[in-house]
Amino acid sequence: MKILEVRNLKVYYFLHRGIVKAVDGVSFSVEEGEILGIAGESGSGKSTLAHSILRLIKPPGEIVEGEIIFQGKDLTKLSEDEMREIRGRDISMVFQDPNTYLNPIMKVGLQVAEVYEAHQNAKIETVLDKVVNLFKKVKITDPEKRIYSYPHELSGGMKQRALISMAVALKPKLIILDEPTSALDVTIQLEIVNLLKEMKEELNASMIFISHDLELLSEITDKLMIMYAGKVVEYGSTKEVFNNPKHPYTEALINSIKYIRKDTLPTIEGEPPSLINPPNGCRFHPRCPKKFDICDKTEPSLITIDGRKVSCHLYGEEE
Amino acid sequence: MKTVVEGRDIKKYFIASKSLFGKTEYVRAVDHVDIEIYDNSVLALVGESGSGKTTLGRILAGILKPDEGSVLFKGIDIYRDGLTRDIRHKIQVIFQNPDSSLNPRMRILDILGEAIKEIEPTISKDDLEDRAAQLLENVNLHVDHLYKYPHELSGGEKQRVAIARALAVNPEFIVADEPVSALDISIRAQIINLLNSIQKRLRISMLYIAHDLRTVWNISDYVAVMYLGKIVEYGETEKVFRNVAHPYTATLLTSAPLMPKEFRKHEIYPVGEPPSLIDPPSGCRFHTRCPIAREECKKLDMKLEEIEDGHYTACPFLK
């Protein structure tokens, strides 16, 4: 069953330099219990996409077109009050840098308790034991004491665990993770990823896991969507995308995470394009090793091939 | 093999807190470390945040005086005998974030020009431009960039400029402190390839500081693994990866999901959270996180023992 369906979403930033088309016609869906990975470089639009699902885009950014269907409702049509009900309760989010999202002068346990206060009108004092339980679940040591710690007294990994406890507190159906481990050390990263997998099983929730780290995504996701310059270039089961990448960009990305000893690493020449004046035709064509005559003229559409979606002229047009 | 840079018994503590009556607390960033970098070779210094790798790098680069111990550059004790102008040119540093190492108010020509004038104070304006253009060419940047300001360049281009500036004074030893960590995956490989080819062509010795084992495997001849201010394992890169001899190194190797199987000899993962830097664990500092720790580890002297030719470890128990 589909828990979320995004149709032709366009999110633009209106700057005086021009319009940044950060997300430009993106469609995908998330099944119940599924972990969808969204990969891309900085500027690919993956983070904007995540924020727009929860309608967290602020001016000059704006959702200009498209639908975000969650449990039968189009989130783009809801009022701000209705959205506030959904955030945290039905869809929650974990961000990259816990320091920006935790209040530095408030004890962490109380911040987590606020989730219950906001959605269930519970008094903070009455839900502290629930918070202790949550902390146990996310494997924070010494939870009875830790709920009275301030953020600066916790390590980066602990803070991220506290944020995860907040995200799972109300048993949401969908958890969006925006680079949740990028600020952490490698050994801690894996622990957090394993924790997220456990949480997902326990809640039977779906997840959208956004990261630039393909290696990590290969470990945790069921499906993988690769974005480039605001567009989806490839979308399919993680295993198949990894074993047999179809889009030249995906192929190059996967090559770039191979272990190669003392030899030239495969590169993607050039730099990601400007989103104000993206290249004509396929946006990847200036960097593409396999480009041919029509690539800089016509934009490829996202076609289905071998159970996977690819947007590349190499595979022709859909009948 | 000829040693270019040698650090002997280096100690650097930072004051963490000082109270009028209580005792002063120190962060033991580097705690009695010996290290050598050989001529025309790359030593990778690996460790997580807080391991002291950046501090050690700065000490070896001659920009941070250690509390104890000495740094010899080609036999000259740079902190005791003072850094001559000549030695300062021979040792160059490339930092993680080019935004903070390039002056935003100077054109690239002036940034490079400043460095060129260091060794050729009387150079004519035309020659200076020629030299600067050639430096840009060496790092595969177009000459047009000479007349641009740093903000007009992408992250990868800025890092190339930083590399060009380091090369301007004909260095013999480069400390590259996480030079690709801030860059996108597709750009990382370009910069690593560039560093690799420059190192080979100019026969520069390099200290490559990183936490990303993929680039370490690619670029380094030797690797030193640091944990809480101590080197726990050291040796030729091939030997350390293929025949890992310290449990901390082993956990780093297993924490990367796509690490090739041949380097996952011990499938072990760290336990718990990183300890405080102010009050590090007694004995082996890794014992609180080590999955194979024994009682005696609490009293273990972390001395590096040679286990095979040129391969040293501070742990006698990982077999």
Side-chain angles (χ1 to χ4, degrees):
Chain A
M1 207 186 89
K2 281 195 182 97
I3 191 99
L4 178 81
E5 190 173 4
V6 171
R7 291 185 200 140
N8 193 29
L9 187 69
K10 292 186 180 173
V11 186
Y12 294 174
Y13 291 89
F14 296 89
L15 309 182
H16 64 261
R17 297 187 282 135
I19 301 168
V20 176
K21 299 175 177 174
V23 174
D24 203 10
V26 167
S27 305
F28 65 94
S29 58
V30 184
E31 300 284 324
E32 207 173 76
E34 178 181 85
I35 305 185
L36 169 71
I38 302 181
E41 300 177 82
S42 37
S44 62
K46 58 189 193 307
S47 206
T48 299
L49 178 59
H51 284 76
S52 42
I53 293 170
L54 275 176
R55 294 247 317 266
L56 294 172
I57 299 293
K58 294 198 178 87
E62 199 183 303
I63 298 177
V64 293
E65 207 183 310
E67 294 170 331
I68 303 168
I69 313 289
F70 175 75
Q71 294 186 323
K73 272 181 271 184
D74 184 356
L75 299 186
T76 62
K77 303 231 156 50
L78 297 189
S79 70
E80 187 48 38
D81 281 344
E82 287 169 310
M83 264 324 285
R84 208 173 291 132
E85 286 289 303
I86 287 176
R87 287 183 203 129
R89 190 189 66 194
D90 301 315
I91 306 178
S92 63
M93 188 153 174
V94 177
F95 302 91
Q96 173 170 359
D97 180 11
N99 293 321
T100 349
Y101 292 93
L102 287 172
N103 182 342
I105 53 164
M106 188 174 176
K107 291 166 183 160
V108 273
L110 306 187
Q111 297 188 48
V112 177
E114 273 190 331
V115 176
Y116 294 105
E117 191 190 24
H119 286 277
Q120 300 174 344
N121 284 325
K123 282 253 182 318
I124 284 186
E125 304 79 59
T126 64
V127 293
L128 283 180
D129 51 327
K130 281 191 186 170
V131 177
V132 169
N133 272 331
L134 277 176
F135 275 22
K136 272 186 200 152
K137 254 190 214 163
V138 297
K139 302 194 179 103
I140 293 180
T141 44
D142 235 347
E144 286 87 357
K145 267 196 213 144
R146 280 302 179 207
I147 58 170
Y148 299 109
S149 297
Y150 287 97
H152 79 267
E153 297 172 298
L154 304 181
S155 69
M158 281 298 165
K159 277 184 263 194
Q160 203 55 300
R161 283 171 204 272
L163 272 190
I164 290 170
S165 79
M166 217 183 272
V168 299
L170 299 174
K171 304 190 168 70
K173 285 275 138 230
L174 177 66
I175 304 171
I176 300 171
L177 306 140
D178 186 12
E179 304 259 10
T181 62
S182 302
L184 304 174
D185 277 322
V186 271
T187 55
I188 312 289
Q189 274 187 1
L190 199 68
E191 287 173 26
I192 296 286
V193 163
N194 288 334
L195 173 69
L196 289 170
K197 274 189 197 162
E198 267 173 50
M199 290 291 113
K200 192 218 94 173
E201 289 304 320
E202 196 183 313
L203 299 173
N204 191 27
S206 309
M207 284 184 178
I208 297 178
F209 197 111
I210 291 157
S211 179
H212 65 274
D213 186 344
L214 274 181
E215 188 164 12
L216 205 65
L217 290 174
S218 75
E219 177 78 5
I220 189 173
T221 62
D222 303 304
K223 281 202 189 132
L224 192 58
M225 182 163 102
I226 313 278
M227 288 187 72
Y228 187 78
K231 298 259 183 198
V232 176
V233 296
E234 186 155 359
Y235 175 31
S237 101
T238 304
K239 226 175 168 175
E240 283 169 30
V241 172
F242 261 85
N243 292 341
N244 178 20
K246 295 219 181 276
H247 197 285
Y249 179 63
T250 317
E251 195 181 345
L253 278 185
I254 289 171
N255 277 334
S256 75
I257 57 171
K258 286 192 175 142
Y259 284 77
I260 295 166
R261 177 79 184 137
K262 282 278 170 189
D263 203 353
T264 313
L265 294 169
T267 56
I268 308 174
E269 287 313 314
E271 305 262 350
S274 138
L275 293 174
I276 294 179
N277 271 315
N280 284 332
C282 169
R283 291 184 181 186
F284 185 58
H285 87 259
R287 306 175 75 191
C288 186
K290 295 182 178 169
K291 66 163 175 274
F292 53 105
D293 49 2
I294 60 167
C295 295
D296 59 353
K297 294 180 189 79
T298 336
E299 198 180 310
S301 49
L302 200 62
I303 62 162
T304 307
I305 170 168
D306 299 343
R308 186 170 344 157
K309 291 198 164 78
V310 190
S311 122
C312 175
H313 289 306
L314 283 175
Y315 303 100
E317 288 294 317
E318 202 167 20
E319 293 306 311
Chain B
M1 203 149 353
K2 233 174 73 194
T3 303
V4 171
V5 180
E6 188 181 354
R8 282 189 194 154
D9 199 29
I10 293 174
K11 183 192 123 178
K12 182 76 193 177
Y13 289 3
F14 294 106
I15 293 172
S17 71
K18 211 175 185 176
S19 74
L20 195 51
F21 303 108
K23 65 169 193 202
T24 312
E25 289 183 317
Y26 295 95
V27 172
R28 303 183 190 187
V30 181
D31 209 359
H32 299 283
V33 162
D34 293 302
I35 193 166
E36 272 177 80
I37 294 119
Y38 300 119
D39 186 31
N40 188 23
S41 73
V42 180
L43 170 68
L45 187 58
V46 179
E48 297 180 281
S49 44
S51 61
K53 57 187 193 301
T54 292
T55 305
L56 182 57
R58 296 172 75 99
I59 290 170
L60 294 173
I63 53 180
L64 180 69
K65 197 174 187 304
D67 300 338
E68 284 173 28
S70 52
V71 175
L72 305 174
F73 176 75
K74 293 166 91 180
I76 303 161
D77 186 330
I78 57 173
Y79 290 107
R80 193 194 59 201
D81 302 341
L83 265 172
T84 61
R85 208 179 165 81
D86 184 45
I87 294 178
R88 252 199 296 123
H89 296 155
K90 297 282 179 241
I91 307 176
Q92 288 296 309
V93 190
I94 298 163
F95 296 97
Q96 173 171 355
N97 186 353
D99 283 319
S100 41
S101 64
L102 301 180
N103 187 337
R105 290 159 193 254
M106 281 165 81
R107 293 177 306 169
I108 306 305
L109 173 64
D110 304 319
I111 290 173
L112 296 176
E114 214 175 37
I116 295 166
K117 280 188 203 145
E118 276 286 315
I119 49 167
E120 289 177 70
T122 55
I123 192 168
S124 74
K125 212 175 154 223
D126 287 352
D127 288 350
L128 184 88
E129 280 205 32
D130 284 352
R131 279 275 292 138
Q134 201 202 335
L135 283 168
L136 280 192
E137 224 165 88
N138 285 343
V139 296
N140 308 330
L141 278 183
H142 199 274
V143 187
D144 288 355
H145 288 81
L146 278 183
Y147 307 101
K148 290 184 181 165
Y149 287 89
H151 77 265
E152 297 172 78
L153 271 53
S154 71
E157 288 169 339
K158 276 182 268 196
Q159 200 57 298
R160 284 171 197 271
V161 171
I163 295 170
R165 179 177 58 182
L167 296 177
V169 290
N170 306 322
E172 290 176 25
F173 174 49
I174 289 182
V175 175
D177 189 1
E178 305 244 17
V180 297
S181 303
L183 304 174
D184 265 323
I185 351 168
S186 70
I187 311 298
R188 269 184 205 185
Q190 296 177 9
I191 299 292
I192 291 292
N193 287 342
L194 177 66
L195 285 173
N196 237 334
S197 71
I198 286 170
Q199 191 272 327
K200 279 183 191 141
R201 189 160 39 108
L202 303 174
R203 305 178 64 81
I204 292 172
S205 311
M206 196 188 299
L207 180 71
Y208 176 74
I209 303 174
H211 61 264
D212 167 20
L213 293 173
R214 191 181 301 114
T215 57
V216 168
W217 175 243
N218 181 263
I219 203 172
S220 69
D221 302 291
Y222 299 87
V223 56
V225 182
M226 246 184 132
Y227 185 77
L228 291 188
K230 291 271 192 194
I231 289 180
V232 298
E233 184 163 1
Y234 167 79
E236 286 168 28
T237 304
E238 294 266 353
K239 285 179 181 159
V240 172
F241 271 70
R242 290 189 197 283
N243 194 15
V244 56
H246 194 282
Y248 176 61
T249 318
T251 61
L252 288 180
L253 288 168
T254 39
S255 292
L258 296 181
M259 181 65 68
K261 274 212 178 60
E262 66 231 67
F263 307 144
R264 296 171 161 268
K265 218 169 111 194
H266 308 271
E267 284 277 339
I268 53 172
Y269 299 93
V271 291
E273 284 285 312
S276 136
L277 296 170
I278 294 167
D279 193 14
S282 65
C284 171
R285 291 191 178 169
F286 188 54
H287 85 258
T288 55
R289 300 197 70 205
C290 182
I292 62 158
R294 315 169 175 197
E295 197 49 40
E296 60 231 75
C297 294
K298 289 181 188 161
K299 292 196 198 92
L300 189 81
D301 182 19
M302 294 184 80
K303 244 179 79 188
L304 287 170
E305 301 281 353
E306 191 165 11
I307 52 146
E308 60 180 318
D309 188 28
H311 183 186
Y312 299 81
T313 176
C315 177
F317 302 122
L318 187 75
K319 288 282 165 355

